[in-house]
Amino acid sequence: MGQSRPESVQVVKQRRDSALNALVQGVPYIQFLGVTFDRRGDELTGVLPFDEKLIGNPSLPAIHGGVTAAFLEITSIITLSWSFLWNDIESGEIDVHKMSSDTLPRLPKTIDFSVDYLRPGLPRDAYARAIVNRLGRRYASVHVEAWQDRRNKLFAQAVCHFVMPHFSM
């Protein structure tokens, strides 16, 4: 007879932002590097704001290769977790107000990670997006790309494989 009224845009946005914030805040290394995520619907873009501590070779200067790899892996793991949890977040099965570092679902574990360093990362902000190629109950495959000034001029990319944890909240 009567349909329930859809949630307001603000409620949906707050629920999504709270869930993403809980995922990101649960990993201290993400805070150390200063990585944040820009969310548009279900799509995430990792943002690595430039900081002098990220420079590995001051004579170029260039972002350290380990920082680049960590940024790619962080973006992959958070995007993969976000994809896996999306339906539960949207349906309200996960109470995002109770999500914290203590109640956070376990994150996927890296099986292998292959990085292509295409050019030096310049001393400026970097961005990355991951595409989940396969998401199964036990295994996932992700491709991630990083750029700085122009989206079509990548400075690094990676292919990652993960063991999926059993998610339960």
Side-chain angles (χ1 to χ4, degrees), residues 18-19 22-23 26 85 94-107 166-169:
S18 294
L23 280 173
L85 294 172
I94 293 178
D95 184 354
V96 296
H97 302 295
K98 292 183 180 176
M99 281 180 81
S100 69
S101 58
D102 297 330
T103 62
L104 193 66
R106 290 188 347 222
L107 296 174
H166 174 69
F167 284 96
S168 61
M169 291 293 292

Side-chain angles (χ1 to χ4, degrees), residues 3-17:
Q3 291 182 344
S4 63
R5 187 171 184 173
E7 293 178 299
S8 72
V9 172
Q10 292 82 9
V11 170
V12 171
K13 182 181 182 325
Q14 183 181 19
R15 184 174 61 239
R16 290 174 182 171
D17 289 344

Side-chain angles (χ1 to χ4, degrees), residues 12-161:
V12 171
K13 182 181 182 325
Q14 183 181 19
R15 184 174 61 239
R16 290 174 182 171
D17 289 344
S18 294
L20 179 58
N21 188 47
L23 280 173
V24 172
Q25 295 300 317
V27 183
Y29 193 57
I30 293 176
Q31 274 77 99
F32 174 76
L33 291 179
V35 175
T36 61
F37 286 87
D38 180 29
R39 184 191 58 74
R40 299 288 182 250
D42 69 341
E43 182 180 76
L44 299 178
T45 301
V47 180
L48 177 66
F50 176 72
D51 189 321
E52 287 292 331
K53 71 182 178 190
L54 305 177
I55 296 296
N57 185 345
S59 64
L60 289 178
I63 295 175
H64 191 282
V67 170
T68 299
F71 178 48
L72 292 170
E73 188 173 21
I74 286 166
T75 301
S76 297
I77 289 171
I78 296 298
T79 300
L80 181 56
S81 298
W82 183 251
S83 296
F84 192 84
L85 294 172
W86 176 262
N87 289 335
D88 291 340
I89 293 166
E90 291 303 291
S91 69
E93 283 186 43
I94 293 178
D95 184 354
V96 296
H97 302 295
K98 292 183 180 176
M99 281 180 81
S100 69
S101 58
D102 297 330
T103 62
L104 193 66
R106 290 188 347 222
L107 296 174
K109 301 286 187 225
T110 305
I111 298 172
D112 65 41
F113 187 77
S114 177
V115 180
D116 295 328
Y117 297 97
L118 306 172
R119 59 183 45 84
L122 301 173
R124 54 185 65 130
D125 293 353
Y127 308 93
R129 271 200 203 127
I131 297 170
V132 178
N133 294 321
R134 182 189 190 284
L135 175 56
R137 289 186 336 205
R138 297 182 183 167
Y139 166 85
S141 176
V142 178
H143 176 81
V144 61
E145 298 177 336
W147 70 95
Q148 290 184 301
D149 297 327
R150 293 181 23 220
R151 174 76 172 94
N152 63 351
K153 189 177 179 185
L154 305 178
F155 76 95
Q157 64 183 0
V159 175
C160 329
H161 300 106

